[in-house]
Amino acid sequence: MTTTTACDWEKRWQIADTLWDKGRASPALVSFLKDHGDLIPSQGIGLVPGCGAGYDVLLLSTPDRHMTGLDMSPTCIAKVKKDYPEGNYDFICDDFYKFQIPQRGYDLVYDYTFLCAMPPVMRPQWSSRMAEIIRPGGVLIALMYPLEEREGGPPFGLSEEVYMELLGDNFENIYLADARGHPNRIGREKMSVWKRK
């Protein structure tokens, strides 16, 4: 991402202009973990890029699965470290495209409102980076949003076809279903799981 983009996100956190923050993890992820948690690794290490307020990091963290929340905003990361000081998780302030990944790669990555936050021109970079950081056999959970055509962004409009095009070469789609998430997003989301080839 460009420095301008990073500064914009930081400014939004500084002035608490975080309208995307729904105050909790998506009900779609909560339901998915309850009903289909067997599709994802039960142990290992995971990443939530663009972690924001950290709700998903906490939800995905278990005694056997360490989660890392990553965000570009120092204000955001300072807040979540203060709000959630202890657990089987950590938070880092860094650039998704440049941060040092674990030697073995991640067992699990969760993307929700991360891909849609970046301009469409960056989508191939997102795809390449996901293939780089997720180990073979590892899993990407992508809660696809917003599934609609729209001008401008963020959030920038997405489609199932965009995900298939971006991930098809390096991942196998093992789950895809309509999602019932936050009320104002119903009908514009799908839950998907992709296994690294």
Side-chain angles (χ1 to χ4, degrees):
M1 288 196 160
T2 65
T3 304
T4 303
T5 304
C7 290
D8 291 344
W9 291 113
E10 170 60 5
K11 182 177 180 184
R12 291 186 74 173
W13 275 100
Q14 287 175 348
I15 63 172
D17 179 18
T18 55
L19 298 177
W20 63 85
D21 186 343
K22 301 297 183 188
R24 61 186 172 130
S26 172
L29 179 60
V30 173
S31 295
F32 170 79
L33 293 175
K34 180 182 171 204
D35 298 336
H36 302 287
D38 58 321
L39 293 177
I40 67 171
S42 61
Q43 56 189 5
I45 58 173
L47 176 72
V48 179
C51 69
Y55 313 120
D56 305 320
V57 174
L58 271 64
L59 180 62
L60 289 164
S61 171
T62 69
D64 296 320
R65 186 172 54 226
H66 181 274
M67 295 299 298
T68 296
L70 179 142
D71 207 286
M72 297 181 77
S73 164
T75 300
C76 167
I77 293 300
K79 180 183 183 323
V80 292
K81 284 182 174 181
K82 180 182 175 190
D83 290 348
Y84 312 117
E86 295 181 25
N88 194 20
Y89 50 78
D90 66 328
F91 295 97
I92 57 175
C93 183
D94 212 332
D95 184 328
F96 174 72
Y97 296 101
K98 297 176 182 175
F99 83 104
Q100 182 71 38
I101 63 173
Q103 184 176 2
R104 193 174 147 264
Y106 287 100
D107 300 288
L108 173 67
V109 174
Y110 176 61
D111 182 311
Y112 181 45
T113 68
F114 185 62
L115 176 59
C116 73
M118 54 192 88
V121 70
M122 294 187 69
R123 291 174 180 171
Q125 288 175 263
W126 173 90
S127 172
S128 296
R129 187 63 165 162
M130 286 297 184
E132 178 186 358
I133 69 174
I134 299 173
R135 68 167 182 78
V139 166
L140 167 64
I141 303 172
L143 181 47
M144 303 173 172
Y145 170 81
L147 295 177
E148 61 191 12
E149 288 187 28
R150 58 184 294 145
E151 289 293 322
F156 294 93
L158 292 163
S159 67
E160 289 179 49
E161 293 74 24
V162 167
Y163 281 91
M164 298 292 182
E165 183 180 309
L166 291 172
L167 297 171
D169 288 346
N170 294 302
F171 292 84
E172 176 190 0
N173 180 229
I174 61 172
Y175 180 85
L176 179 64
D178 289 338
R180 292 195 56 83
H182 299 296
N184 68 335
R185 296 179 179 178
I186 290 174
R188 299 188 296 151
E189 297 181 317
K190 285 188 185 267
M191 183 64 77
S192 64
V193 179
W194 305 80
K195 189 170 186 177
R196 181 73 168 92
K197 296 176 183 175

